[in-house]
Amino acid sequence: MALSLPAIMKTTAARLSALYLLLFALCAVLLVLYMTSLSARMLTAQTQETINDEVLGLARAYQRGGLPVLVRVVEARSRQPGANLYLIADANGQILTGNVQSLEPGVIETEGWTMDPFSYQRFGEGELDRLRSGGSDQATPPANDGNTPQSTGEKGHNAIALVLRLPNQMIMLVGRDLGEPERFRAVISRALTLALGMMGLGGILIWFFVGRAALKRIDSVSDASRRIMGGDLSGRLPVTGAGDEFDRLSENLNSMLARIAMLNEGLKQVSDNIAHDLKTPLTRLRNRAEATLAGRHKTEEYRQALEGTIAESDQLIKTFNAILMISRLEAGYSSEQTGPVDLAATVSDVVELYEPVAEEAGVALETTVSEAFTINGNRELIGQALSNIVDNAIKYSTDAAEAPKVRVVLERAGNEIKLAVTDNGHGIPDDADRARATERFVRLEKSRSQPGSGLGLSLAKAIMTFHNGRLDLLPANPGLSVVMSFPLRETH
């Protein structure tokens, strides 16, 4: 898949990132507008306060000496460098004194604060413009009467002012140039806009690369999935170790794939084992029937042959039932109901069932129960697993040099409940053989002389897995200890 922008935008992460980026940009724009507006209001208020102070000073000069003193003060202040504007005009709007050469039309016609910033030109700026443009030989424009529009040229400025009408109907304007506030506002606006642009660009780059990385992860998962669907069940989804949601999803899917692979391997083993291990008893069953039909036998001989056939068939049925039970348990499904199980009572029932068998085989069967334990499980399945283990222990302890003995112990070990069946026979000294002993139809060399199908421990292992426990085969020196470990659950 090409890592293009349309492909990235199809991912949920990219869409969420785009939504967050849009929300961030909207908030940033609102912040810029708010800060700019707030700065303008603050600067305007400060400018008006400065103008009011100037007006109060001129008002005191007018009260002190009338119009002549006011004109002298205005002329003196007009010659001082600064951003303040001073203008005195007659009743017709003809400029008499001040530092303003021309005004935007209509500014001094209305008394009070100017509604909007107006353009103006100071004295001397027109001549300077003409000198710079080579037009010094042109005539000087006439003074503005305050009503005639004048071009402010490139040197035009903006200002706000307070227009007052004196008692003799003359007009006084006191204003302040907005160049400094506008420059300050422009600096703030540019700074906020630059910050917004940098943050927006950074957000877009992060979004692009994060979305691109996420898309790469999805592509790798898709490629691995296609290989797995193609039949490679050994393949696994990539895990980077970052611990993010992709890794958690991959780990869960890998666990599922491992479970599927184990079930498929178990199915393959069942098929192979049925083909090989069940071929012998079926052949023996057929040969017995063929031999019986080949000659003339008495009724009692036919009866014995049929009884042998039925016994062999029963053993085959038990084998198939065990295989089906193992497959069903390993698949994680069982139609059997689960509920509270008293392990001590289960141990007592199984031991009582096998005491006659052990006594007949000359094996001492002992039981040690430290305390009563109740778990959530299936009593019949646990009893069947324990029966298989006890039956094996009795069979394989009869070859012990000393008195054969089987001991069943139920106790608590840390956070687990241990149910151990230990014999003193030859055991299984090799670690590899102990690991193989729980596989289907596996019968070690020393057990070939004993009857069985090699499914007892396999079924016990499947039952323990179904109960979230485990089955361990440990050396007992001498003998073998088969331990069923259940997770401890507090009862209420």
Side-chain angles (χ1 to χ4, degrees):
M1 180 184 296
L3 296 178
S4 59
L5 183 61
I8 294 178
M9 284 303 299
K10 291 181 180 179
T11 62
T12 302
R15 291 175 179 175
L16 287 176
S17 300
L19 181 60
Y20 292 147
L21 181 61
L22 179 62
L23 181 61
F24 166 77
L26 179 61
C27 294
V29 169
L30 293 176
L31 177 62
V32 169
L33 296 177
Y34 172 75
M35 292 298 296
T36 304
S37 175
L38 179 63
S39 301
R41 289 197 301 271
M42 292 178 61
L43 292 172
T44 301
Q46 184 178 2
T47 301
Q48 291 178 342
E49 183 179 356
T50 302
I51 293 174
N52 284 327
D53 292 340
E54 289 293 319
V55 170
L56 289 176
L58 294 175
R60 285 193 295 269
Y62 183 79
Q63 292 174 358
R64 203 168 51 243
L67 183 61
V69 175
L70 176 63
V71 170
R72 287 198 300 271
V73 172
V74 168
E75 289 179 348
R77 293 189 179 185
S78 298
R79 288 191 292 268
Q80 296 177 356
N84 290 339
L85 304 180
Y86 303 96
L87 181 148
I88 294 180
D90 59 18
N92 297 323
Q94 184 69 32
I95 298 176
L96 301 178
T97 186
N99 57 1
V100 178
Q101 179 179 347
S102 62
L103 285 172
E104 186 178 306
V107 173
I108 59 177
E109 293 178 357
T110 304
E111 189 175 359
W113 287 102
T114 55
M115 299 298 296
D116 299 306
F118 59 90
S119 61
Y120 75 96
Q121 193 173 39
R122 291 176 180 265
F123 273 110
E125 290 181 344
E127 288 77 2
L128 183 60
D129 289 341
R130 286 191 294 274
L131 288 174
R132 289 178 176 176
S133 62
S136 58
D137 56 336
Q138 297 178 3
T140 302
N144 186 17
D145 62 359
N147 297 317
T148 305
Q150 297 289 329
S151 173
T152 59
E154 295 181 357
K155 288 296 182 178
H157 306 283
N158 291 326
I160 61 173
L162 178 61
V163 179
L164 300 173
R165 191 167 291 274
L166 301 177
N168 57 3
Q169 298 302 311
M170 296 186 71
I171 300 171
M172 183 177 69
L173 178 146
V174 180
R176 188 168 180 84
D177 189 271
L178 295 179
E180 182 179 350
E182 287 181 349
R183 285 193 297 271
F184 181 72
R185 182 172 58 184
V187 168
I188 293 178
S189 179
R190 283 196 300 269
L192 291 174
T193 303
L194 180 61
L196 170 62
M198 293 177 62
M199 289 186 290
L201 179 61
I204 290 175
L205 292 177
I206 293 174
W207 162 60
F208 178 77
F209 287 110
V210 169
R212 189 169 180 267
L215 192 59
K216 280 186 176 180
R217 296 284 298 276
I218 294 174
D219 285 344
S220 62
V221 171
S222 299
D223 293 340
S225 300
R226 282 193 292 269
R227 290 195 300 270
I228 294 170
M229 288 187 295
D232 182 16
L233 294 181
S234 62
R236 294 294 181 267
L237 301 181
V239 178
T240 62
D244 55 9
E245 62 275 10
F246 288 104
D247 275 359
R248 293 195 296 270
L249 177 61
S250 296
E251 289 171 356
N252 291 334
L253 292 177
N254 286 341
S255 299
M256 180 186 70
L257 290 172
R259 179 72 173 169
I260 293 173
M262 184 189 70
L263 293 176
N264 285 342
E265 183 63 23
L267 181 60
K268 181 177 179 297
Q269 289 180 1
V270 168
S271 302
D272 294 343
N273 292 331
I274 289 177
H276 293 85
D277 292 273
L278 295 183
K279 182 178 179 180
T280 299
L282 288 174
T283 302
R284 186 167 57 246
L285 186 64
R286 182 187 181 282
N287 291 339
R288 178 181 290 123
E290 185 178 10
T292 303
L293 293 174
R296 294 179 178 272
H297 301 283
K298 297 179 179 179
T299 303
E300 185 62 29
E301 293 175 344
Y302 282 114
R303 179 179 292 276
Q304 291 177 357
L306 289 175
E307 289 176 352
T309 301
I310 292 174
E312 194 78 29
S313 300
D314 289 340
Q315 184 61 36
L316 286 174
I317 292 173
K318 289 181 181 179
T319 300
F320 277 109
N321 288 336
I323 293 172
L324 292 175
M325 178 62 72
I326 292 172
S327 299
R328 186 171 60 183
L329 291 172
E330 288 183 347
Y333 167 78
S334 176
S335 59
E336 307 292 339
Q337 297 296 321
T338 59
V341 178
D342 187 348
L343 290 180
T346 303
V347 169
S348 177
D349 292 343
V350 172
V351 170
E352 183 180 355
L353 177 66
Y354 276 89
E355 277 181 347
V357 178
E359 184 177 354
E360 183 179 352
V363 177
L365 185 58
E366 301 177 355
T367 306
T368 301
V369 178
S370 62
E371 59 180 298
F373 297 102
T374 301
I375 66 170
N376 183 45
N378 185 280
R379 189 177 187 279
E380 287 73 19
L381 292 178
I382 295 174
Q384 184 175 356
L386 182 59
S387 298
N388 291 346
I389 296 172
V390 171
D391 183 68
N392 282 345
I394 293 174
K395 286 193 297 184
Y396 297 115
S397 64
T398 55
D399 56 355
E402 56 184 35
K405 180 175 62 175
V406 174
R407 186 182 181 193
V408 182
V409 179
L410 177 64
E411 60 184 357
R412 175 175 178 173
N415 293 326
E416 293 182 324
I417 302 171
K418 301 283 188 180
L419 177 53
V421 179
T422 306
D423 63 69
N424 60 347
H426 290 299
I428 306 176
D430 188 55
D431 293 341
D433 288 342
R434 286 198 297 272
R436 291 178 55 243
T438 57
E439 297 177 3
R440 295 186 185 94
F441 297 104
V442 171
R443 304 192 67 197
L444 304 179
E445 281 303 318
K446 293 183 179 180
S447 64
R448 294 288 181 182
S449 59
Q450 298 288 349
S453 61
L455 292 173
L457 291 179
S458 298
L459 181 58
K461 180 180 178 181
I463 291 173
M464 290 306 299
T465 302
F466 176 75
H467 286 86
N468 297 319
R470 68 178 188 277
L471 185 72
D472 299 315
L473 274 63
L474 306 174
N477 300 320
L480 180 70
S481 180
V482 182
V483 183
M484 304 167 64
S485 301
F486 297 91
L488 181 63
R489 298 180 181 176
E490 299 295 337
T491 58
H492 300 280

